Amino acid sequence: MTYKLRFRINALYDFFICLLIFLYMMEATSWTSFNNSVIHDAFQLLAIAVAAVYIVVRKYTSKELLRIIVLNAVGFLCFLSSGLSGLFMTMMAITLLPKNSLNHVLKMIFMEEVTIFCAIVLGSQIGLLSNAVVEINKNTYIATARTLGFAHPNMLAAQATSIVLLFLCVKRNRLKKEYFAGAYFSIILIYFFAHGRTSLLLGMTAVTLIALRKKNWVNKMVLTVLPGVYVFVIAVLIVCMTVYSKNGETAIVKILNDGLFNGRIGLAYTSLLVYPITLFGKQIDTSIWNQWQYYSLDNGQVMILLEYGIAGFLCYFWTVQKTLNQIKKEKETVFAIVMIVFLAWSMYEGTMYFIGKNFALLFLGTIEFRESSDVKNEVKTI
């Protein structure tokens, strides 16, 4: 009887995560009106309602309750200010993660993402979703890529590569040579359709490091640099934007901005000049740009700062930093590698900083975020 009650309680969280993953994957598709549709709003409200019920039926210590209230309050205030729910939903997913359930939740997310991904690709082949051919400027050449039902080839690449890395995380304690062969093949196949250089490079790097994880030098290197990775990423971004602002169109800037970041540093810097930095964020208004001007912002860190404000950025920073420190303590090398890759990726893509594609944020569950909860007593009182 106790087992059944415990299962029913945690099933609420499972349902919440399933709704969340569905929402974020559908938002990335070529169904552009989905984000502003009644269907989207209904699923989002349902997800919030399920999370609210879960909060009520669970028991918490004072310390846990304080964490949940503070992090989710910041997320909710950012939601009210900007109209964007990403931070709010992500904080709920992280803080409400049941004790000892990380592996179960990762497996569940993997199965759902694979199912939805296949449905999206199938939809693009039978005409339900667009399978557009997109020409992408890669600075030195023009690549012709497919969307396969997604809004842009980069979203296809990000989502597919994320699924590959999620599979390796799920199987991290039982990795086989066949898994690595399949991962390499999948990443090359993703590149064939999406032509995403970032996903190819970072995906290959992640798989290779995971394959070499048992080498002492790899394990030591990854765990040593891990706690400082996020600070390093932010520092690199600041330095790059400073160089861009002070040196204009020099050869160094062209190599840095156009060669290494495909224009993303310049766009990030320009966005910081154009849009205000507020306490709880504002939705980015693209209507201020000339219709012929390229204005796409693809830097996750700058997007967090603009869309969720100073409070949202600090909340996100604290969460990521706490996760990095604890992963090192637990010596979860595979998790560490994936976290490093996703943080580096956030400099190139504006889609890699929330739960939708960055499942690694749930790694905070490695520390048993609800470590002081008395699950047995909690179930007994239900």
Side-chain angles (χ1 to χ4, degrees):
M1 188 63 170
T2 299
Y3 174 80
K4 290 182 179 179
L5 287 172
R6 183 182 302 168
F7 171 77
R8 287 173 185 169
I9 294 171
N10 290 347
L12 288 171
Y13 179 85
D14 293 349
F15 186 38
F16 166 71
I17 286 294
C18 285
L19 290 171
L20 210 54
I21 297 301
F22 172 78
L23 277 171
Y24 285 137
M25 289 196 69
M26 291 304 296
E27 287 174 0
T29 68
S30 58
W31 182 6
T32 54
S33 61
F34 175 77
N35 290 12
N36 299 316
S37 68
V38 175
I39 297 175
H40 176 277
D41 292 345
F43 273 96
Q44 183 168 269
L45 287 173
L46 178 59
I48 294 173
V50 171
V53 172
Y54 182 70
I55 290 172
V56 171
V57 299
R58 290 301 301 255
K59 280 198 168 189
Y60 309 94
T61 65
S62 299
K63 184 178 179 181
E64 291 169 337
L65 191 59
L66 179 62
R67 286 172 174 172
I68 291 170
I69 291 174
V70 172
L71 294 180
N72 287 295
V74 172
F76 184 67
L77 289 172
C78 292
F79 179 33
L80 292 179
S81 178
S82 67
L84 301 170
S85 62
L87 184 68
F88 181 40
M89 293 296 195
T90 297
M91 288 301 110
M92 284 198 292
I94 294 170
T95 58
L96 299 180
L97 180 67
K99 186 176 181 180
N100 299 320
S101 66
L102 178 61
N103 290 330
H104 161 72
V105 171
L106 291 179
K107 289 177 185 177
M108 183 181 65
I109 293 175
F110 172 73
M111 290 187 290
E112 182 182 8
E113 288 194 353
V114 168
T115 301
I116 297 176
F117 183 87
C118 291
I120 292 171
V121 173
L122 178 61
S124 73
Q125 300 305 303
I126 62 178
L128 293 177
L129 294 169
S130 172
N131 186 20
V133 177
V134 179
E135 291 188 346
I136 306 174
N137 187 347
K138 298 292 187 180
N139 188 36
T140 56
Y141 67 97
I142 302 295
T144 302
R146 287 277 183 179
T147 60
L148 295 183
F150 288 85
H152 191 276
N154 285 352
M155 290 189 175
L156 165 65
Q159 190 67 68
T161 307
S162 175
I163 291 174
V164 173
L165 298 183
L166 175 55
F167 172 76
L168 296 179
C169 286
V170 169
K171 297 291 186 180
R172 67 189 183 281
N173 296 322
R174 301 180 304 280
L175 288 171
K176 303 176 182 179
K177 292 181 179 179
E178 309 92 87
Y179 296 162
F180 292 114
Y184 282 125
F185 175 78
S186 298
I187 291 172
I188 293 172
L189 186 64
I190 293 165
Y191 180 78
F192 176 79
F193 287 104
H195 287 275
R197 294 178 301 182
T198 304
S199 61
L200 176 67
L201 177 61
L202 292 179
M204 286 294 191
T205 300
V207 174
T208 301
L209 288 175
I210 292 173
L212 297 173
R213 71 198 183 284
K214 292 186 179 179
K215 300 286 186 180
N216 288 333
W217 67 271
V218 172
N219 188 64
K220 184 178 180 179
M221 176 190 68
V222 169
L223 294 179
T224 299
V225 304
L226 183 65
V229 166
Y230 194 21
V231 173
F232 178 76
V233 166
I234 294 173
V236 168
L237 178 60
I238 293 173
V239 169
C240 288
M241 288 193 293
T242 301
V243 171
Y244 177 86
S245 68
K246 294 184 178 298
N247 294 276
E249 294 297 319
T250 62
I252 294 177
V253 170
K254 287 184 177 180
I255 293 173
L256 180 69
N257 184 50
D258 298 331
L260 295 178
F261 291 96
N262 202 29
R264 288 174 172 87
I265 294 298
L267 291 168
Y269 175 72
T270 303
S271 295
L272 287 174
L273 293 179
V274 171
Y275 298 112
I277 298 175
T278 62
L279 183 59
F280 293 108
K282 293 291 181 183
Q283 191 163 12
I284 292 176
D285 179 15
T286 58
S287 66
I288 65 175
W289 299 98
N290 183 294
Q291 63 176 324
W292 306 111
Q293 186 173 0
Y294 185 70
Y295 54 79
S296 179
L297 175 59
D298 256 345
N299 185 287
Q301 307 310 316
V302 174
M303 290 183 74
I304 295 172
L305 183 60
L306 293 177
E307 294 181 338
Y308 299 97
I310 297 171
F313 183 85
L314 292 176
C315 178
Y316 185 84
F317 179 86
W318 180 88
T319 303
V320 171
Q321 197 58 49
K322 191 170 181 63
T323 304
L324 297 177
N325 291 335
Q326 197 61 34
I327 288 176
K328 177 180 180 179
K329 182 179 178 181
E330 298 294 330
K331 297 182 179 179
E332 285 278 7
T333 309
V334 175
F335 284 175
I337 293 168
V338 172
M339 280 294 295
I340 292 172
V341 166
F342 278 160
L343 286 172
W345 206 338
S346 70
M347 295 184 68
Y348 291 85
E349 292 294 340
T351 60
M352 298 304 296
Y353 57 94
F354 286 138
I355 289 294
K357 293 182 182 63
N358 192 348
F359 61 87
L361 293 172
L362 288 175
F363 292 167
L364 189 54
T366 302
I367 69 173
E368 304 303 357
F369 192 80
R370 297 171 39 73
E371 56 193 344
S372 53
S373 288
D374 189 341
V375 177
K376 291 183 179 180
N377 291 340
E378 184 178 41
V379 173
K380 186 176 180 180
T381 61
I382 297 299

